[in-house]
Amino acid sequence: MTQHKLLVVSVDAMHVDDIPFARTLPAFAQILERAAVAEIEGIYPSVTYPNHTAQTTGCPPARSGIFNNLQFQPGKGDRSEWFWDSRAIKVPTLFEAAKAAGLTVAAVQWPVTANEQNIDWLVPEIASPQVFEGLEDQYRQTTDEASLERYILPNLDRVVIREPKRNYFPFVNHVSEQILRNERPDVMFVHLVEVDSARHAGGSYGPHVEQALREVDVTLGSYLKALSDNGDLETTNIVLVSDHGHVDTEQHTNLNVIFAERGFLRLDTERKLADYDVFCLGAGLSGQLFLAEDLTAERRAEVEALLAEIESTPEYRIEKIWTSQETLRDYGLDGPFDYVVESEPGVIVGMLLDRRPVVRRGDDDFPAYLGNHGHAPRHGGQPVFIGTGPDFAPGADAGRRSMLDEAPTFAALLGLDLPAAEGVVLTELLATAAVPA
Ligand SMILES: [Zn+2]
């Protein structure tokens, strides 16, 4: 089979039911016209980093090590670091396989890629600015000299800084197009966050989501033009993916506040965490519970009784508290935690300490965000897989498939082996010549 280029664009939080509107936009329409598609069952928790890691490894959190967006740093609250460093991933990635095969690799704003040695042109996503001394330092410490000098430093003024938030959209859109155009990498992964941002701010559906899709369409159009100008359009497989959907947020159940009130978590005089018997690491619409390592059997039994009580208290709206053995069996989700809290759809499993135990939509202290994710993958909007190009079968539909199938499919398109991946190649979507023997 002829080796074709691969461009993977993650449209963060794009839903399958966004496709009809996307068809009305020029670049999406061009990509969708002859596309092969699947609806994707995502990874639990349905947050960005475990899912993007699954997309490049074919492995669930129990094996990749990326079990949440946030690292477990009790006491840091909303200053906890994200899993920004690629060295946290415990299994081989597609980037590694591509580099070993001599392919040139680029990644822009792809999660968990900082310090990734197998990416030639690397602009990592850094969601933990507090770790670094400013914008320039965060890139100096996490990527190579060539990416820095040629693409990052000349464009840093495109990052819109409104403390404490940074908006990378104009920077990412520009830099990704420039790398695609100038470097013509064999493999490129880009992560675009406009749609996710819109859904967080304004809820799952509405004109704000359509506006975000229009903005993504402009960027996709710039990629199609760059490929076309270089004569690469006919020889590049383009895949649009997404990582999770959203659910409208109805309630926050702040478990650490409940643990503190009941004496299972202790605060210092500044109301900061002193120590805990049980601590909740939030993952949006689910949570992960860590028990202290030195718990006596008696205290552990008391924690378990409290969890059973929380599960059966209607106002908390907690559907089920799973053991990590159960989530490993049913979801491939495991990590250094003991339990996973699955709430009813739309209920945030909160970790902050300066809140009331239960805050409902409409309350004065309800946080501004209206949409969120982290829920079990069966709820809410479902992620997309849209492939077009020389190795895809136009019009093919693989039905509902696991996100773990994406990395093996990318590997097959590139003629690579990814033996650690658990998923299978989406052969139904591929033209016969691209199906591995
Ligand atoms: Zn996301």
Side-chain angles (χ1 to χ4, degrees):
M1 132 192 192
T2 320
Q3 186 63 66
H4 296 122
K5 292 178 186 290
L6 174 65
L7 171 63
V8 177
V9 182
S10 166
V11 182
D12 195 301
M14 184 174 176
H15 296 181
V16 164
D17 50 16
D18 293 330
I19 290 177
F21 177 75
R23 279 190 201 283
T24 70
L25 305 173
F28 272 115
Q30 187 179 334
I31 291 167
L32 283 161
E33 189 185 2
R34 289 168 51 79
V37 300
E39 176 181 307
I40 296 298
E41 167 133 2
I43 296 298
Y44 189 41
S46 57
V47 291
T48 302
Y49 280 34
N51 279 277
H52 279 83
T53 304
Q55 287 171 318
T56 57
T57 63
C59 293
R63 291 187 54 226
S64 72
I66 311 301
F67 56 85
N68 196 314
N69 285 343
L70 294 173
Q71 300 180 46
F72 176 54
Q73 296 177 329
K76 287 200 182 175
D78 53 7
R79 304 268 297 169
S80 296
E81 285 170 58
W82 290 49
F83 277 109
W84 48 273
D85 195 303
S86 63
R87 290 168 291 195
I89 300 176
K90 295 174 177 165
V91 288
T93 64
L94 191 78
F95 304 125
E96 200 175 323
K99 187 69 181 164
L103 302 178
T104 56
V105 184
V108 177
Q109 208 71 359
W110 197 268
V112 209
T113 54
N115 294 309
E116 169 58 77
Q117 302 298 308
N118 298 292
I119 299 174
D120 302 281
W121 300 102
L122 173 62
V123 183
E125 176 168 279
I126 305 291
S128 302
Q130 71 273 21
V131 178
F132 304 97
E133 291 169 8
L135 201 49
E136 185 174 327
D137 182 58
Q138 85 175 14
Y139 289 114
R140 282 202 182 280
Q141 291 201 38
T142 56
T143 188
D144 60 284
E145 197 64 25
S147 302
L148 192 69
E149 295 296 336
R150 189 150 183 199
Y151 293 105
I152 295 173
L153 296 182
N155 291 299
L156 271 191
D157 60 349
R158 295 174 192 269
V159 180
V160 182
I161 300 181
R162 284 192 208 96
E163 294 297 350
K165 288 270 179 186
R166 294 171 179 176
N167 181 338
Y168 290 89
F169 302 162
F171 170 76
V172 166
N173 294 342
H174 178 77
V175 167
S176 54
E177 188 273 347
Q178 287 287 296
I179 291 175
L180 181 65
R181 176 179 292 277
N182 297 337
E183 308 303 336
R184 302 176 62 199
D186 297 314
V187 188
M188 180 156 176
F189 278 67
V190 188
H191 175 216
L192 304 177
V193 190
E194 285 88 337
V195 173
D196 180 63
S197 257
R199 291 197 143 115
H200 276 298
S204 301
Y205 295 99
H208 59 292
V209 175
E210 296 187 350
Q211 180 53 32
L213 286 162
R214 280 189 199 97
E215 289 165 21
V216 168
D217 191 74
V218 172
T219 303
L220 294 177
S222 78
Y223 298 162
L224 294 174
K225 176 147 192 343
L227 291 171
S228 176
D229 289 350
N230 284 332
D232 292 333
L233 189 57
E234 304 305 316
T235 53
T236 299
N237 290 304
I238 301 172
V239 185
L240 305 185
V241 295
S242 54
D243 51 347
H244 54 72
H246 272 245
V247 176
D248 286 343
T249 311
E250 299 171 6
Q251 174 171 319
H252 291 236
T253 297
N254 294 307
L255 286 186
N256 285 338
V257 175
I258 297 168
F259 296 155
E261 285 182 348
R262 300 292 291 267
F264 287 85
L265 182 155
R266 287 155 295 278
L267 307 178
D268 63 19
T269 49
E270 294 177 337
R271 289 196 62 79
K272 297 251 181 343
L273 181 70
D275 74 303
Y276 63 89
D277 301 322
V278 55
F279 177 86
C280 174
L281 180 68
L285 299 173
S286 68
Q288 297 163 352
L289 303 183
F290 293 71
L291 302 194
E293 282 172 15
D294 56 357
L295 279 192
T296 61
E298 188 185 1
R299 191 59 172 162
R300 178 179 267 269
E302 288 169 0
V303 169
E304 286 168 357
L306 175 65
L307 298 182
E309 183 191 324
I310 288 171
E311 203 178 34
S312 62
T313 303
E315 71 160 334
Y316 294 147
R317 301 189 58 189
I318 300 302
E319 200 163 282
K320 182 172 166 66
I321 300 181
W322 304 72
T323 65
S324 54
Q325 290 85 5
E326 289 170 323
T327 57
L328 174 62
R329 180 195 67 207
D330 289 3
Y331 290 109
L333 172 59
D334 199 1
F337 46 83
D338 299 273
Y339 296 96
V340 172
V341 182
E342 182 173 343
S343 55
E344 292 176 20
V347 177
I348 298 237
V349 182
M351 64 186 290
L352 299 183
L353 290 160
D354 56 349
R355 305 285 168 93
R356 294 186 296 130
V358 174
V359 183
R360 295 187 184 86
R361 194 155 176 160
D363 293 347
D364 289 342
D365 52 352
F366 187 80
Y369 273 14
L370 300 181
N372 217 315
H373 47 93
H375 49 276
R378 65 183 177 280
H379 298 303
Q382 298 298 308
V384 302
F385 184 101
I386 300 165
T388 190
D391 294 317
F392 282 100
D397 187 337
R400 185 170 171 80
R401 300 296 292 265
S402 168
M403 186 167 287
L404 300 179
D405 296 347
E406 295 184 7
T409 303
F410 300 145
L413 288 167
L414 294 167
L416 305 173
D417 223 11
L418 204 57
E422 292 186 8
V424 297
V425 179
L426 294 167
T427 50
E428 304 95 315
L429 300 186
L430 302 183
T432 323
V435 175

PDB file of all heavy atoms in Angstrom, residues 12 66 146 312 376:
ATOM      1  N   ASP A  12     -12.581  19.108  20.179  1.00  0.00           N
ATOM      2  CA  ASP A  12     -12.911  18.727  21.554  1.00  0.00           C
ATOM      3  C   ASP A  12     -14.410  18.920  21.808  1.00  0.00           C
ATOM      4  O   ASP A  12     -14.959  19.991  21.554  1.00  0.00           O
ATOM      5  CB  ASP A  12     -12.082  19.591  22.515  1.00  0.00           C
ATOM      6  CG  ASP A  12     -12.057  19.042  23.929  1.00  0.00           C
ATOM      7  OD1 ASP A  12     -13.140  18.902  24.528  1.00  0.00           O
ATOM      8  OD2 ASP A  12     -10.956  18.764  24.434  1.00  0.00           O
ATOM      9  N   ILE A  66      -3.217   7.593  32.696  1.00  0.00           N
ATOM     10  CA  ILE A  66      -3.886   8.903  32.681  1.00  0.00           C
ATOM     11  C   ILE A  66      -5.352   8.675  33.060  1.00  0.00           C
ATOM     12  O   ILE A  66      -6.204   8.446  32.204  1.00  0.00           O
ATOM     13  CB  ILE A  66      -3.748   9.590  31.301  1.00  0.00           C
ATOM     14  CG1 ILE A  66      -2.289   9.570  30.839  1.00  0.00           C
ATOM     15  CG2 ILE A  66      -4.293  11.021  31.368  1.00  0.00           C
ATOM     16  CD1 ILE A  66      -1.293  10.254  31.769  1.00  0.00           C
ATOM     17  N   ALA A 146      13.870  23.882  17.927  1.00  0.00           N
ATOM     18  CA  ALA A 146      13.384  24.253  16.596  1.00  0.00           C
ATOM     19  C   ALA A 146      11.913  24.655  16.633  1.00  0.00           C
ATOM     20  O   ALA A 146      11.521  25.672  16.042  1.00  0.00           O
ATOM     21  CB  ALA A 146      13.589  23.089  15.627  1.00  0.00           C
ATOM     22  N   SER A 312     -27.187   6.661  49.201  1.00  0.00           N
ATOM     23  CA  SER A 312     -28.639   6.472  49.388  1.00  0.00           C
ATOM     24  C   SER A 312     -29.357   7.761  49.810  1.00  0.00           C
ATOM     25  O   SER A 312     -30.547   7.723  50.101  1.00  0.00           O
ATOM     26  CB  SER A 312     -28.885   5.371  50.425  1.00  0.00           C
ATOM     27  OG  SER A 312     -28.340   5.760  51.669  1.00  0.00           O
ATOM     28  N   ALA A 376     -20.371   8.933  32.874  1.00  0.00           N
ATOM     29  CA  ALA A 376     -20.186   7.655  32.185  1.00  0.00           C
ATOM     30  C   ALA A 376     -20.448   7.860  30.692  1.00  0.00           C
ATOM     31  O   ALA A 376     -21.338   8.620  30.313  1.00  0.00           O
ATOM     32  CB  ALA A 376     -21.134   6.611  32.767  1.00  0.00           C
TER      33      ALA A 376
END
